[in-house]
Amino acid sequence: MGMLDLFLQTSSSVSLLVTLIVLLLVYLVLTFSFTSQKDRREPAGPRPLPLLGNLLQLDLKRPYETLLKVKTKYGSVFTIYLGPKKVVVLAGYKTVKEALVNYAEEFGDRDPTQIMHESNQGHGIIWANGDSWKEMRRFALTNLRDFGMGKKACENKITEECDHLTEVLRKCKGETVDIAQPIHCAVSNIICSIVYGSRYEYNDPEFTSLIKRVNRHLALMMSPSIQMYNMFPRFCKWIANRKEFRNLDADIRKHNLELFRRLEETLNPQMCRGFVDAFLVHKKNLEESGITNSHFHNENLLRSVTNIFSGGSETTVTTLKFGLLLMAKNPKIQNQVQEELSSVVGSRQVQMEDKKNLSFTNAVIHEIQRLANIAPMSLPHKTTKDITFQGHFIKKGTTVYPLMVSVLFDESEWERPHSFYPAHFLDKDRKFVKRDAFLPFSAGRRVCPGESLARMELFIFFTNLLQHFRFSPPPGVSEDERNQVQLHLIVDPLPHKL
């Protein structure tokens, strides 16, 4: 018994010693971790709830408005939790520009949402990263320019499309109409001519069906239920919208593959009709050279085309809808635009070279883009490495949202940030002036690749429409131009008639 007592006492002492050592190690690890995190000063933010994060504190219809309020308390770099997902928000012109331009590499990756990761699988332009993204973006920029983006050839396509749009609206004979559909057709035709090499009639069933599918696809992507799925994929994978999204994605895929097949059958390498032809020729040349592991494959072609089509049409269409709604709500400004067009251009069609002589009109278009604020949260970025930014430590792989509304509405940059005020872009002599904080196309590595095309489309479509028509609200109706639907990524005017 004596030996057993001694053994038990020894064993107990060893256990106690081991326990004390373990507790000491845990204490040291926790202390070091806490000190390390304190030294690294990760961005602060409102306290999150388990699993839900800060969702209960957000206005889910207009989350950017809540984030603007968070900025006033926590500064221009802060952390929020979208469900369990940690997100760093960048707010204010100086902070956003510094991050996207001065630290372009560190903040340059895209963080695809769950639904877009499933859909794109890392292919295409918008939601891709790495070498594949670099190859596709470079090829897209080069070939979109070759097919007229930002050049006279593209201007001619847009002015011709203006004629078709004008003719459609003339048939309305001044009646109250929803102009969203004809504008969608006009803008989408510009993309079709650049990508596929041909335009469509507005009543072509294949064309209208494609536009409807793309619009519905985008609306579903931004719907609250899909946003919940993005945050909680394990719990929300059975939602109906996800199934409809995947079915629409399959339909768009099938439609484009059929178009590619037809284009490939009539392909002439010496005379490419559009982006798809150029891609197919480049792909064939690589294969004939024995290169089989390139990024030029059908999946990248499919996703690049759908990215160009959706990204190149929806934003321009939405901005034009906002612009005409703002003209209807501000008849005095509409008068000034039309008077300037009449005195400078007269009855001939507006051309891009007229822009330098249309200071007020140019200022109005820029102010429409600023106030429309159609992408208030931009698309999510992701850090490529650990970085200390403005004194805050941000870990590699962190999701980052550049809060673009805080740039376009920055009170330190704009005299009347929340008002429609074209004088923001005019100097004391009423000449057009650029503003540094005007970043509707974002900045840095992820700046919109179609910026020059969008600028040309907005100018030519807007001026030509105001040359031929006067826009006003229907009798007895007075809609607030800020009566918007927030769809997380894009702000769109509520359906309306003019």
Side-chain angles (χ1 to χ4, degrees):
M1 292 292 292
M3 290 294 294
L4 181 59
D5 287 341
L6 180 61
F7 175 78
L8 289 174
Q9 289 176 6
T10 304
S11 177
S12 178
S13 298
V14 171
S15 297
L16 179 61
L17 180 62
V18 169
T19 301
L20 289 173
I21 292 173
V22 169
L23 288 173
L24 178 62
L25 288 173
V26 169
Y27 171 77
L28 290 173
V29 168
L30 289 175
T31 301
F32 174 79
S33 177
F34 177 78
T35 304
S36 177
Q37 288 184 15
K38 186 176 180 181
D39 289 342
R40 295 189 302 186
R41 291 188 60 200
E42 294 185 2
R47 184 182 297 276
L49 294 173
L51 190 63
L52 293 176
N54 299 116
L55 288 182
L56 298 182
Q57 297 160 273
L58 290 175
D59 178 348
L60 296 181
K61 288 186 177 180
R62 300 174 186 238
Y64 60 92
E65 291 190 353
T66 306
L67 297 180
L68 287 173
K69 294 176 183 176
V70 175
K71 172 185 177 291
T72 61
K73 181 175 181 180
Y74 293 98
S76 58
V77 183
F78 58 89
T79 298
I80 62 162
Y81 283 81
L82 299 178
K85 190 179 184 71
K86 180 181 180 180
V87 170
V88 170
V89 178
L90 307 175
Y93 162 65
K94 292 180 180 177
T95 295
V96 170
K97 185 181 179 183
E98 182 183 0
L100 300 186
V101 177
N102 298 350
Y103 292 85
E105 179 69 28
E106 290 84 349
F107 289 99
D109 265 8
R110 176 73 70 219
D111 187 24
T113 60
Q114 180 70 23
I115 196 76
M116 296 314 296
H117 172 70
E118 294 171 358
S119 175
N120 288 265
Q121 292 293 311
H123 301 304
I125 304 170
I126 295 178
W127 299 99
N129 289 307
D131 291 339
S132 179
W133 168 71
K134 290 177 183 177
E135 287 270 10
M136 292 304 103
R137 181 180 170 87
R138 187 184 303 117
F139 184 83
L141 282 171
T142 300
N143 283 275
L144 290 176
R145 289 194 195 102
D146 288 346
F147 292 108
M149 187 177 77
K151 297 180 181 178
K152 187 65 179 178
C154 190
E155 180 182 344
N156 292 337
K157 290 178 182 178
I158 300 170
T159 53
E160 288 173 14
E161 199 61 46
C162 278
D163 292 337
H164 294 287
L165 177 59
T166 299
E167 185 59 30
V168 168
L169 294 181
R170 281 194 194 285
K171 293 177 181 178
C172 299
K173 297 180 179 179
E175 294 180 359
T176 298
V177 294
D178 182 352
I179 61 173
Q181 180 63 18
I183 288 179
H184 261 292
C185 290
V187 174
S188 297
N189 254 336
I190 303 302
I191 300 297
C192 285
S193 65
I194 291 174
V195 173
Y196 305 120
S198 60
R199 68 173 299 278
Y200 294 84
E201 294 300 322
Y202 291 7
N203 58 358
D204 185 310
E206 182 181 22
F207 183 46
T208 55
S209 177
L210 174 62
I211 291 174
K212 286 179 181 177
R213 284 200 296 265
V214 170
N215 290 345
R216 180 59 181 162
H217 194 256
L218 186 62
L220 285 172
M221 182 184 83
M222 299 181 296
S223 65
S225 57
I226 291 293
Q227 298 310 315
M228 292 302 293
Y229 170 69
N230 288 334
M231 290 183 275
F232 306 102
R234 291 185 180 180
F235 304 109
C236 302
K237 61 183 178 180
W238 306 114
I239 59 172
N241 275 0
R242 178 177 178 243
K243 183 178 180 181
E244 184 184 356
F245 181 92
R246 297 178 75 175
N247 289 340
L248 275 171
D249 199 55
D251 288 343
I252 293 170
R253 178 189 184 87
K254 181 180 178 181
H255 178 260
N256 270 293
L257 290 176
E258 175 58 25
L259 278 174
F260 299 164
R261 185 189 65 77
R262 279 188 250 159
L263 289 170
E264 194 163 18
E265 287 176 352
T266 56
L267 184 64
N268 179 357
Q270 308 304 319
M271 192 176 292
C272 291
R273 294 157 292 191
F275 176 83
V276 173
D277 278 11
F279 193 103
L280 292 172
V281 168
H282 191 73
K283 174 174 171 285
K284 186 177 180 180
N285 290 340
L286 289 173
E287 290 170 351
E288 290 176 351
S289 301
I291 301 173
T292 57
N293 62 342
S294 78
H295 296 294
F296 288 84
H297 47 72
N298 286 342
E299 201 60 35
N300 254 335
L301 173 59
L302 174 71
R303 294 305 169 187
S304 294
V305 166
T306 53
N307 288 170
I308 292 169
F309 196 93
S310 59
S313 59
E314 187 62 30
T315 52
T316 301
V317 169
T318 303
T319 305
L320 283 171
K321 288 192 293 182
F322 260 116
L324 298 179
L325 182 58
L326 284 165
M327 290 301 95
K329 291 293 297 177
N330 296 273
K332 290 183 179 179
I333 291 178
Q334 185 173 184
N335 286 342
Q336 288 178 269
V337 170
Q338 292 177 324
E339 287 168 6
E340 185 178 61
L341 288 170
S342 179
S343 65
V344 174
V345 180
S347 59
R348 68 170 172 79
Q349 200 163 36
V350 181
Q351 300 174 355
M352 285 302 296
E353 63 182 22
D354 295 318
K355 194 173 184 179
K356 62 181 180 293
N357 298 317
L358 295 168
S359 290
F360 184 75
T361 302
N362 195 16
V364 166
I365 294 171
H366 278 69
E367 182 67 353
I368 288 168
Q369 287 183 268
R370 187 195 69 81
L371 191 65
N373 174 41
I374 63 172
M377 293 180 64
S378 188
L379 295 179
H381 289 235
K382 183 171 63 177
T383 49
T384 60
K385 59 183 73 172
D386 290 354
I387 177 177
T388 299
F389 177 72
Q390 292 190 355
H392 301 281
F393 176 79
I394 304 174
K395 191 176 180 181
K396 176 183 177 180
T398 299
T399 302
V400 177
Y401 274 95
L403 193 61
M404 296 311 296
V405 62
S406 69
V407 177
L408 297 175
F409 288 9
D410 192 326
E411 293 182 355
S412 65
E413 297 290 333
W414 307 98
E415 294 80 7
R416 302 183 188 178
H418 303 287
S419 301
F420 184 49
Y421 186 59
H424 281 140
F425 296 93
L426 296 170
D427 63 16
K428 58 183 177 59
D429 298 319
R430 305 292 288 174
K431 298 296 183 182
F432 178 80
V433 61
K434 294 180 180 179
R435 298 291 294 264
D436 292 339
F438 181 71
L439 299 177
F441 300 100
S442 192
R445 293 178 72 196
R446 294 286 174 167
V447 66
C448 174
E451 178 177 349
S452 62
L453 174 63
R455 286 180 181 273
M456 184 179 284
E457 287 178 314
L458 287 172
F459 180 77
I460 295 177
F461 276 122
F462 182 78
T463 54
N464 274 273
L465 286 171
L466 287 194
Q467 265 191 313
H468 292 92
F469 305 102
R470 181 166 186 79
F471 296 89
S472 59
V477 176
S478 179
E479 293 191 51
D480 181 355
E481 65 262 24
R482 287 189 57 75
N483 191 15
Q484 306 162 351
V485 176
Q486 167 56 24
L487 297 175
H488 185 67
L489 295 177
I490 289 184
V491 176
D492 200 7
L494 287 171
H496 62 278
K497 294 184 178 182
L498 297 175

